[in-house]
Amino acid sequence: MTPYDAENIFAKILRGEIPCHRIFEDERTLAFMDIMPRSPGHCLAIPKGPARNLLDCDPEMLSHLITKVQRIAKAAKQALGADGVTLQQFSESAGGQEVFHLHFHILPRWEGMVLQRHPAPRAEMATLAEQAEKIRAALASL
Ligand code: AMP
């Protein structure tokens, strides 16, 4: 398997070299808004440790991450007033992966609303900031 590349864009976000709209952080996890959202409130949860994708992730790291994904999914659904949530995780190019640091997509969903096709347009920064604030508030209230 191709080794982890520490120059991927999410590793740069983790090192603070690139900004993000942060919604959650603990010692092992970071979650932030996707800049090309395929639904309103589309966010990403990543481990802080070096995992290329699901296939090479340390199981203990993955266990911690998925419990945070559940919390963030609940908060995003509540914050955006969504009807449901879709999770996506792509591993390797053939699996649809473009950024090679493990991440889960958390996509709030509404009855009858289809997901934007990939690549979706880049979102307004103010919209992402507003949604991130709402999700942070919902997380604090869970
Ligand atoms: P994938 O690797 O196909 O699972 O998807 C990578 C995701 O990262 C896409 O949904 C992109 O919109 C998103 N993305 C790429 N660069 C950034 C960034 N700087 N901040 C937030 N999301 C990003």
PDB file of all heavy atoms in Angstrom, residues 25-53:
ATOM      1  N   GLU A  25     -12.770  19.508  18.072  1.00  0.00           N
ATOM      2  CA  GLU A  25     -11.389  19.045  18.179  1.00  0.00           C
ATOM      3  C   GLU A  25     -11.183  18.412  19.546  1.00  0.00           C
ATOM      4  O   GLU A  25     -11.655  18.919  20.554  1.00  0.00           O
ATOM      5  CB  GLU A  25     -10.414  20.220  18.004  1.00  0.00           C
ATOM      6  CG  GLU A  25      -8.977  19.779  18.103  1.00  0.00           C
ATOM      7  CD  GLU A  25      -7.992  20.836  17.586  1.00  0.00           C
ATOM      8  OE1 GLU A  25      -8.393  22.013  17.469  1.00  0.00           O
ATOM      9  OE2 GLU A  25      -6.842  20.459  17.325  1.00  0.00           O
ATOM     10  N   ASP A  26     -10.529  17.272  19.583  1.00  0.00           N
ATOM     11  CA  ASP A  26     -10.007  16.731  20.838  1.00  0.00           C
ATOM     12  C   ASP A  26      -8.584  16.255  20.559  1.00  0.00           C
ATOM     13  O   ASP A  26      -8.012  16.596  19.514  1.00  0.00           O
ATOM     14  CB  ASP A  26     -10.921  15.646  21.439  1.00  0.00           C
ATOM     15  CG  ASP A  26     -10.964  14.352  20.630  1.00  0.00           C
ATOM     16  OD1 ASP A  26     -10.188  14.220  19.650  1.00  0.00           O
ATOM     17  OD2 ASP A  26     -11.761  13.470  20.970  1.00  0.00           O
ATOM     18  N   GLU A  27      -8.003  15.483  21.478  1.00  0.00           N
ATOM     19  CA  GLU A  27      -6.590  15.111  21.309  1.00  0.00           C
ATOM     20  C   GLU A  27      -6.358  14.191  20.108  1.00  0.00           C
ATOM     21  O   GLU A  27      -5.233  14.101  19.615  1.00  0.00           O
ATOM     22  CB  GLU A  27      -6.034  14.507  22.615  1.00  0.00           C
ATOM     23  CG  GLU A  27      -6.532  13.125  23.000  1.00  0.00           C
ATOM     24  CD  GLU A  27      -7.977  13.058  23.524  1.00  0.00           C
ATOM     25  OE1 GLU A  27      -8.642  14.123  23.659  1.00  0.00           O
ATOM     26  OE2 GLU A  27      -8.444  11.951  23.776  1.00  0.00           O
ATOM     27  N   ARG A  28      -7.419  13.546  19.623  1.00  0.00           N
ATOM     28  CA  ARG A  28      -7.227  12.567  18.544  1.00  0.00           C
ATOM     29  C   ARG A  28      -8.034  12.837  17.280  1.00  0.00           C
ATOM     30  O   ARG A  28      -7.859  12.137  16.283  1.00  0.00           O
ATOM     31  CB  ARG A  28      -7.581  11.161  19.057  1.00  0.00           C
ATOM     32  CG  ARG A  28      -6.558  10.637  20.051  1.00  0.00           C
ATOM     33  CD  ARG A  28      -6.782   9.179  20.353  1.00  0.00           C
ATOM     34  NE  ARG A  28      -7.792   9.005  21.372  1.00  0.00           N
ATOM     35  CZ  ARG A  28      -8.206   7.829  21.819  1.00  0.00           C
ATOM     36  NH1 ARG A  28      -7.719   6.727  21.327  1.00  0.00           N
ATOM     37  NH2 ARG A  28      -9.114   7.753  22.764  1.00  0.00           N
ATOM     38  N   THR A  29      -8.909  13.839  17.322  1.00  0.00           N
ATOM     39  CA  THR A  29      -9.852  14.057  16.220  1.00  0.00           C
ATOM     40  C   THR A  29      -9.978  15.535  15.887  1.00  0.00           C
ATOM     41  O   THR A  29      -9.931  16.375  16.790  1.00  0.00           O
ATOM     42  CB  THR A  29     -11.268  13.559  16.622  1.00  0.00           C
ATOM     43  OG1 THR A  29     -11.151  12.252  17.152  1.00  0.00           O
ATOM     44  CG2 THR A  29     -12.231  13.569  15.443  1.00  0.00           C
ATOM     45  N   LEU A  30     -10.176  15.826  14.601  1.00  0.00           N
ATOM     46  CA  LEU A  30     -10.526  17.189  14.175  1.00  0.00           C
ATOM     47  C   LEU A  30     -11.694  17.071  13.206  1.00  0.00           C
ATOM     48  O   LEU A  30     -11.723  16.152  12.363  1.00  0.00           O
ATOM     49  CB  LEU A  30      -9.329  17.848  13.474  1.00  0.00           C
ATOM     50  CG  LEU A  30      -9.563  19.253  12.925  1.00  0.00           C
ATOM     51  CD1 LEU A  30      -9.767  20.266  14.059  1.00  0.00           C
ATOM     52  CD2 LEU A  30      -8.397  19.710  12.045  1.00  0.00           C
ATOM     53  N   ALA A  31     -12.656  17.988  13.325  1.00  0.00           N
ATOM     54  CA  ALA A  31     -13.771  18.025  12.368  1.00  0.00           C
ATOM     55  C   ALA A  31     -13.945  19.458  11.894  1.00  0.00           C
ATOM     56  O   ALA A  31     -13.796  20.413  12.670  1.00  0.00           O
ATOM     57  CB  ALA A  31     -15.046  17.510  13.006  1.00  0.00           C
ATOM     58  N   PHE A  32     -14.234  19.601  10.609  1.00  0.00           N
ATOM     59  CA  PHE A  32     -14.319  20.939  10.002  1.00  0.00           C
ATOM     60  C   PHE A  32     -15.230  20.876   8.790  1.00  0.00           C
ATOM     61  O   PHE A  32     -15.575  19.779   8.297  1.00  0.00           O
ATOM     62  CB  PHE A  32     -12.914  21.446   9.620  1.00  0.00           C
ATOM     63  CG  PHE A  32     -12.108  20.494   8.777  1.00  0.00           C
ATOM     64  CD1 PHE A  32     -12.133  20.541   7.399  1.00  0.00           C
ATOM     65  CD2 PHE A  32     -11.319  19.512   9.384  1.00  0.00           C
ATOM     66  CE1 PHE A  32     -11.397  19.652   6.635  1.00  0.00           C
ATOM     67  CE2 PHE A  32     -10.575  18.605   8.627  1.00  0.00           C
ATOM     68  CZ  PHE A  32     -10.609  18.683   7.247  1.00  0.00           C
ATOM     69  N   MET A  33     -15.625  22.048   8.302  1.00  0.00           N
ATOM     70  CA  MET A  33     -16.553  22.120   7.169  1.00  0.00           C
ATOM     71  C   MET A  33     -15.831  21.773   5.871  1.00  0.00           C
ATOM     72  O   MET A  33     -14.683  22.178   5.659  1.00  0.00           O
ATOM     73  CB  MET A  33     -17.154  23.532   7.046  1.00  0.00           C
ATOM     74  CG  MET A  33     -17.875  24.036   8.291  1.00  0.00           C
ATOM     75  SD  MET A  33     -19.151  22.940   8.899  1.00  0.00           S
ATOM     76  CE  MET A  33     -20.345  23.049   7.574  1.00  0.00           C
ATOM     77  N   ASP A  34     -16.536  21.050   5.002  1.00  0.00           N
ATOM     78  CA  ASP A  34     -16.028  20.786   3.653  1.00  0.00           C
ATOM     79  C   ASP A  34     -16.228  22.062   2.821  1.00  0.00           C
ATOM     80  O   ASP A  34     -17.310  22.652   2.840  1.00  0.00           O
ATOM     81  CB  ASP A  34     -16.800  19.611   3.024  1.00  0.00           C
ATOM     82  CG  ASP A  34     -16.121  19.060   1.781  1.00  0.00           C
ATOM     83  OD1 ASP A  34     -15.951  19.829   0.804  1.00  0.00           O
ATOM     84  OD2 ASP A  34     -15.764  17.878   1.767  1.00  0.00           O
ATOM     85  N   ILE A  35     -15.187  22.492   2.136  1.00  0.00           N
ATOM     86  CA  ILE A  35     -15.291  23.763   1.390  1.00  0.00           C
ATOM     87  C   ILE A  35     -16.077  23.626   0.085  1.00  0.00           C
ATOM     88  O   ILE A  35     -16.437  24.628  -0.520  1.00  0.00           O
ATOM     89  CB  ILE A  35     -13.910  24.400   1.092  1.00  0.00           C
ATOM     90  CG1 ILE A  35     -12.975  23.422   0.391  1.00  0.00           C
ATOM     91  CG2 ILE A  35     -13.290  24.984   2.344  1.00  0.00           C
ATOM     92  CD1 ILE A  35     -11.699  24.072  -0.119  1.00  0.00           C
ATOM     93  N   MET A  36     -16.326  22.403  -0.349  1.00  0.00           N
ATOM     94  CA  MET A  36     -17.158  22.191  -1.547  1.00  0.00           C
ATOM     95  C   MET A  36     -18.309  21.261  -1.171  1.00  0.00           C
ATOM     96  O   MET A  36     -18.341  20.081  -1.552  1.00  0.00           O
ATOM     97  CB  MET A  36     -16.312  21.609  -2.686  1.00  0.00           C
ATOM     98  CG  MET A  36     -15.310  22.620  -3.220  1.00  0.00           C
ATOM     99  SD  MET A  36     -14.312  21.976  -4.569  1.00  0.00           S
ATOM    100  CE  MET A  36     -13.060  21.086  -3.673  1.00  0.00           C
ATOM    101  N   PRO A  37     -19.253  21.801  -0.381  1.00  0.00           N
ATOM    102  CA  PRO A  37     -20.278  20.944   0.234  1.00  0.00           C
ATOM    103  C   PRO A  37     -21.253  20.362  -0.782  1.00  0.00           C
ATOM    104  O   PRO A  37     -21.750  21.069  -1.650  1.00  0.00           O
ATOM    105  CB  PRO A  37     -20.993  21.893   1.201  1.00  0.00           C
ATOM    106  CG  PRO A  37     -20.724  23.258   0.680  1.00  0.00           C
ATOM    107  CD  PRO A  37     -19.392  23.216  -0.006  1.00  0.00           C
ATOM    108  N   ARG A  38     -21.529  19.077  -0.597  1.00  0.00           N
ATOM    109  CA  ARG A  38     -22.509  18.421  -1.469  1.00  0.00           C
ATOM    110  C   ARG A  38     -23.902  18.439  -0.833  1.00  0.00           C
ATOM    111  O   ARG A  38     -24.859  18.004  -1.448  1.00  0.00           O
ATOM    112  CB  ARG A  38     -22.044  17.003  -1.791  1.00  0.00           C
ATOM    113  CG  ARG A  38     -20.752  17.011  -2.601  1.00  0.00           C
ATOM    114  CD  ARG A  38     -20.508  15.715  -3.330  1.00  0.00           C
ATOM    115  NE  ARG A  38     -20.150  14.631  -2.457  1.00  0.00           N
ATOM    116  CZ  ARG A  38     -18.926  14.466  -1.931  1.00  0.00           C
ATOM    117  NH1 ARG A  38     -17.952  15.325  -2.209  1.00  0.00           N
ATOM    118  NH2 ARG A  38     -18.680  13.438  -1.165  1.00  0.00           N
ATOM    119  N   SER A  39     -23.975  18.929   0.410  1.00  0.00           N
ATOM    120  CA  SER A  39     -25.270  19.263   1.023  1.00  0.00           C
ATOM    121  C   SER A  39     -24.970  20.353   2.049  1.00  0.00           C
ATOM    122  O   SER A  39     -23.828  20.465   2.507  1.00  0.00           O
ATOM    123  CB  SER A  39     -25.910  18.034   1.696  1.00  0.00           C
ATOM    124  OG  SER A  39     -25.249  17.723   2.901  1.00  0.00           O
ATOM    125  N   PRO A  40     -25.978  21.162   2.422  1.00  0.00           N
ATOM    126  CA  PRO A  40     -25.729  22.178   3.444  1.00  0.00           C
ATOM    127  C   PRO A  40     -25.255  21.508   4.736  1.00  0.00           C
ATOM    128  O   PRO A  40     -25.846  20.525   5.186  1.00  0.00           O
ATOM    129  CB  PRO A  40     -27.111  22.838   3.626  1.00  0.00           C
ATOM    130  CG  PRO A  40     -27.832  22.574   2.337  1.00  0.00           C
ATOM    131  CD  PRO A  40     -27.365  21.215   1.890  1.00  0.00           C
ATOM    132  N   GLY A  41     -24.179  22.018   5.312  1.00  0.00           N
ATOM    133  CA  GLY A  41     -23.663  21.457   6.566  1.00  0.00           C
ATOM    134  C   GLY A  41     -22.699  20.301   6.379  1.00  0.00           C
ATOM    135  O   GLY A  41     -22.271  19.686   7.361  1.00  0.00           O
ATOM    136  N   HIS A  42     -22.333  20.002   5.131  1.00  0.00           N
ATOM    137  CA  HIS A  42     -21.381  18.915   4.842  1.00  0.00           C
ATOM    138  C   HIS A  42     -20.077  19.171   5.608  1.00  0.00           C
ATOM    139  O   HIS A  42     -19.416  20.187   5.428  1.00  0.00           O
ATOM    140  CB  HIS A  42     -21.126  18.915   3.330  1.00  0.00           C
ATOM    141  CG  HIS A  42     -20.160  17.875   2.846  1.00  0.00           C
ATOM    142  ND1 HIS A  42     -19.881  17.719   1.505  1.00  0.00           N
ATOM    143  CD2 HIS A  42     -19.406  16.946   3.481  1.00  0.00           C
ATOM    144  CE1 HIS A  42     -19.001  16.736   1.341  1.00  0.00           C
ATOM    145  NE2 HIS A  42     -18.683  16.262   2.525  1.00  0.00           N
ATOM    146  N   CYS A  43     -19.717  18.229   6.474  1.00  0.00           N
ATOM    147  CA  CYS A  43     -18.470  18.395   7.219  1.00  0.00           C
ATOM    148  C   CYS A  43     -17.659  17.104   7.193  1.00  0.00           C
ATOM    149  O   CYS A  43     -18.130  16.061   6.712  1.00  0.00           O
ATOM    150  CB  CYS A  43     -18.742  18.895   8.633  1.00  0.00           C
ATOM    151  SG  CYS A  43     -19.955  17.949   9.549  1.00  0.00           S
ATOM    152  N   LEU A  44     -16.438  17.200   7.667  1.00  0.00           N
ATOM    153  CA  LEU A  44     -15.471  16.100   7.589  1.00  0.00           C
ATOM    154  C   LEU A  44     -14.893  15.857   8.970  1.00  0.00           C
ATOM    155  O   LEU A  44     -14.609  16.816   9.704  1.00  0.00           O
ATOM    156  CB  LEU A  44     -14.322  16.476   6.639  1.00  0.00           C
ATOM    157  CG  LEU A  44     -14.715  16.843   5.206  1.00  0.00           C
ATOM    158  CD1 LEU A  44     -13.530  17.496   4.477  1.00  0.00           C
ATOM    159  CD2 LEU A  44     -15.173  15.605   4.434  1.00  0.00           C
ATOM    160  N   ALA A  45     -14.698  14.589   9.310  1.00  0.00           N
ATOM    161  CA  ALA A  45     -14.029  14.242  10.573  1.00  0.00           C
ATOM    162  C   ALA A  45     -12.795  13.431  10.243  1.00  0.00           C
ATOM    163  O   ALA A  45     -12.862  12.473   9.453  1.00  0.00           O
ATOM    164  CB  ALA A  45     -14.971  13.447  11.476  1.00  0.00           C
ATOM    165  N   ILE A  46     -11.667  13.822  10.835  1.00  0.00           N
ATOM    166  CA  ILE A  46     -10.389  13.158  10.529  1.00  0.00           C
ATOM    167  C   ILE A  46      -9.654  12.808  11.827  1.00  0.00           C
ATOM    168  O   ILE A  46      -9.795  13.505  12.840  1.00  0.00           O
ATOM    169  CB  ILE A  46      -9.483  14.042   9.627  1.00  0.00           C
ATOM    170  CG1 ILE A  46      -8.943  15.261  10.377  1.00  0.00           C
ATOM    171  CG2 ILE A  46     -10.238  14.496   8.375  1.00  0.00           C
ATOM    172  CD1 ILE A  46      -7.924  16.075   9.561  1.00  0.00           C
ATOM    173  N   PRO A  47      -8.846  11.740  11.794  1.00  0.00           N
ATOM    174  CA  PRO A  47      -7.991  11.463  12.949  1.00  0.00           C
ATOM    175  C   PRO A  47      -6.762  12.366  12.895  1.00  0.00           C
ATOM    176  O   PRO A  47      -6.346  12.794  11.809  1.00  0.00           O
ATOM    177  CB  PRO A  47      -7.587   9.997  12.735  1.00  0.00           C
ATOM    178  CG  PRO A  47      -7.586   9.820  11.254  1.00  0.00           C
ATOM    179  CD  PRO A  47      -8.643  10.756  10.706  1.00  0.00           C
ATOM    180  N   LYS A  48      -6.190  12.645  14.051  1.00  0.00           N
ATOM    181  CA  LYS A  48      -4.960  13.448  14.057  1.00  0.00           C
ATOM    182  C   LYS A  48      -3.743  12.611  13.688  1.00  0.00           C
ATOM    183  O   LYS A  48      -2.736  13.145  13.247  1.00  0.00           O
ATOM    184  CB  LYS A  48      -4.772  14.118  15.419  1.00  0.00           C
ATOM    185  CG  LYS A  48      -5.794  15.221  15.659  1.00  0.00           C
ATOM    186  CD  LYS A  48      -5.444  16.048  16.874  1.00  0.00           C
ATOM    187  CE  LYS A  48      -6.360  17.260  16.942  1.00  0.00           C
ATOM    188  NZ  LYS A  48      -6.118  18.061  18.151  1.00  0.00           N
ATOM    189  N   GLY A  49      -3.856  11.315  13.884  1.00  0.00           N
ATOM    190  CA  GLY A  49      -2.732  10.436  13.541  1.00  0.00           C
ATOM    191  C   GLY A  49      -2.659  10.200  12.039  1.00  0.00           C
ATOM    192  O   GLY A  49      -3.611  10.469  11.309  1.00  0.00           O
ATOM    193  N   PRO A  50      -1.505   9.694  11.586  1.00  0.00           N
ATOM    194  CA  PRO A  50      -1.293   9.495  10.154  1.00  0.00           C
ATOM    195  C   PRO A  50      -1.968   8.225   9.632  1.00  0.00           C
ATOM    196  O   PRO A  50      -1.444   7.139   9.793  1.00  0.00           O
ATOM    197  CB  PRO A  50       0.233   9.373  10.044  1.00  0.00           C
ATOM    198  CG  PRO A  50       0.653   8.823  11.369  1.00  0.00           C
ATOM    199  CD  PRO A  50      -0.332   9.326  12.390  1.00  0.00           C
ATOM    200  N   ALA A  51      -3.133   8.388   9.031  1.00  0.00           N
ATOM    201  CA  ALA A  51      -3.816   7.261   8.367  1.00  0.00           C
ATOM    202  C   ALA A  51      -4.151   7.719   6.956  1.00  0.00           C
ATOM    203  O   ALA A  51      -4.759   8.779   6.775  1.00  0.00           O
ATOM    204  CB  ALA A  51      -5.072   6.873   9.110  1.00  0.00           C
ATOM    205  N   ARG A  52      -3.748   6.930   5.969  1.00  0.00           N
ATOM    206  CA  ARG A  52      -4.037   7.284   4.574  1.00  0.00           C
ATOM    207  C   ARG A  52      -5.538   7.149   4.291  1.00  0.00           C
ATOM    208  O   ARG A  52      -6.142   8.006   3.664  1.00  0.00           O
ATOM    209  CB  ARG A  52      -3.210   6.363   3.666  1.00  0.00           C
ATOM    210  CG  ARG A  52      -3.387   6.569   2.194  1.00  0.00           C
ATOM    211  CD  ARG A  52      -2.412   5.681   1.432  1.00  0.00           C
ATOM    212  NE  ARG A  52      -2.796   5.544   0.046  1.00  0.00           N
ATOM    213  CZ  ARG A  52      -2.434   6.383  -0.922  1.00  0.00           C
ATOM    214  NH1 ARG A  52      -1.686   7.438  -0.648  1.00  0.00           N
ATOM    215  NH2 ARG A  52      -2.821   6.191  -2.167  1.00  0.00           N
ATOM    216  N   ASN A  53      -6.125   6.083   4.806  1.00  0.00           N
ATOM    217  CA  ASN A  53      -7.567   5.870   4.645  1.00  0.00           C
ATOM    218  C   ASN A  53      -8.014   4.745   5.589  1.00  0.00           C
ATOM    219  O   ASN A  53      -7.257   4.332   6.479  1.00  0.00           O
ATOM    220  CB  ASN A  53      -7.938   5.615   3.168  1.00  0.00           C
ATOM    221  CG  ASN A  53      -7.163   4.461   2.553  1.00  0.00           C
ATOM    222  OD1 ASN A  53      -7.000   3.423   3.191  1.00  0.00           O
ATOM    223  ND2 ASN A  53      -6.667   4.659   1.337  1.00  0.00           N
TER     224      ASN A  53
END
